[in-house]
Amino acid sequence: MAEKKKYQVITISREYYAGGRSIAKRLSEALDIPWYDYDLTELAAKISGYSEAEIRDEGEELGKLENIMEKILSGANFYTSSHDEIYQAQKDAVLELAKKPCIIVGRGADAIFKEAGIESFDIFLYADLEIRVQRTAAKKGIDEAKARKFLEKHDALRERYYKKYMGKTFGASHNYSICLDTGVIDYDKCGEILTNILK
């Protein structure tokens, strides 16, 4: 009989360039369970009929213009938001994956599981903006001014998305089981801390 995991489902919410994928990979190897991030879009695409590219582009972000248009038109019977349909497809995909032990990065999975009554261990990763700027500049090969603009834009889009679909404030500590500052605690140490808790 397979050993029952302490937590069947683990979620990782994160600021941009706070190490979500790096730490998910470490946890996956240590706990011997799969992790999903961008590859979740394949299942969501099958459910929704949208392309994987469309889901990747809109998956966790809600732009200012889209936000305004949805507020104006949301009461109109004819109006259907592609964001709403993509969110629903990702929600269905997340719930399907949760039938087996897994780690899910992003997609508001922590809130989706709470709403569905599924117990999960919810992690939030963050780091000082300047540290994330340096990581972004190095990873993307751009200067720090461009990296800062990139982060500020995408952090704002993600916050709006989380507020709209989860009804909560992105990054508020009480939404999660644990919050870790990856600017102070390196990825390996974060993986070690989490593995010790979850094993």
Side-chain angles (χ1 to χ4, degrees), residues 141-153:
I142 57 178
D143 63 40
E144 291 194 359
K146 288 181 180 175
R148 183 173 285 100
K149 285 182 180 178
F150 173 89
L151 285 175
E152 288 171 350
K153 174 186 173 182

Side-chain angles (χ1 to χ4, degrees), residues 8-179:
Q8 292 286 97
V9 182
I10 299 161
T11 73
I12 298 179
S13 297
R14 72 285 182 235
E15 293 180 330
Y16 264 87
Y17 284 89
R21 291 170 59 82
S22 298
I23 291 170
K25 184 177 179 182
R26 286 165 170 78
L27 268 184
S28 174
E29 291 169 355
L31 301 175
D32 193 28
I33 58 175
W35 67 283
Y36 302 95
D37 184 9
Y38 297 133
D39 42 4
L40 186 147
T41 60
E42 183 180 350
L43 180 55
K46 287 177 183 175
I47 291 169
S48 68
Y50 284 93
S51 71
E52 291 182 42
E54 288 171 314
I55 291 172
R56 275 194 300 272
D57 290 344
E58 298 188 29
E60 289 184 271
E61 298 183 348
L62 189 65
K64 187 178 284 187
L65 178 60
E66 290 95 336
N67 195 37
I68 292 168
M69 290 302 293
E70 290 191 1
K71 284 180 179 176
I72 292 170
L73 297 174
S74 61
N77 292 331
F78 65 85
Y79 181 68
T80 302
S81 166
S82 63
H83 286 284
D84 293 346
E85 292 173 354
I86 288 172
Y87 166 71
Q88 186 59 51
Q90 289 192 125
K91 179 178 179 180
D92 292 343
V94 162
L95 291 171
E96 180 65 28
L97 292 171
K99 292 177 180 177
K100 296 179 181 179
C102 64
I103 300 164
I104 297 179
V105 179
R107 276 66 187 178
D110 55 298
I112 289 170
F113 292 141
K114 283 184 177 69
E115 181 185 22
I118 298 171
E119 185 178 6
S120 60
F121 187 87
D122 304 311
I123 301 160
F124 184 75
L125 305 174
Y126 64 99
D128 183 79
L129 177 61
E130 293 309 311
I131 291 171
R132 294 190 296 124
V133 164
Q134 291 167 15
R135 289 175 182 169
T136 305
K139 183 75 173 178
K140 290 186 167 292
I142 57 178
D143 63 40
E144 291 194 359
K146 288 181 180 175
R148 183 173 285 100
K149 285 182 180 178
F150 173 89
L151 285 175
E152 288 171 350
K153 174 186 173 182
H154 287 281
D155 281 345
L157 292 173
R158 185 169 285 174
E159 286 167 12
R160 280 198 289 272
Y161 177 92
Y162 199 84
K163 184 68 174 176
K164 175 178 171 61
Y165 290 111
M166 312 303 132
K168 297 179 180 180
T169 301
F170 181 72
S173 60
H174 59 271
N175 293 335
Y176 308 98
S177 310
I178 189 170
C179 300

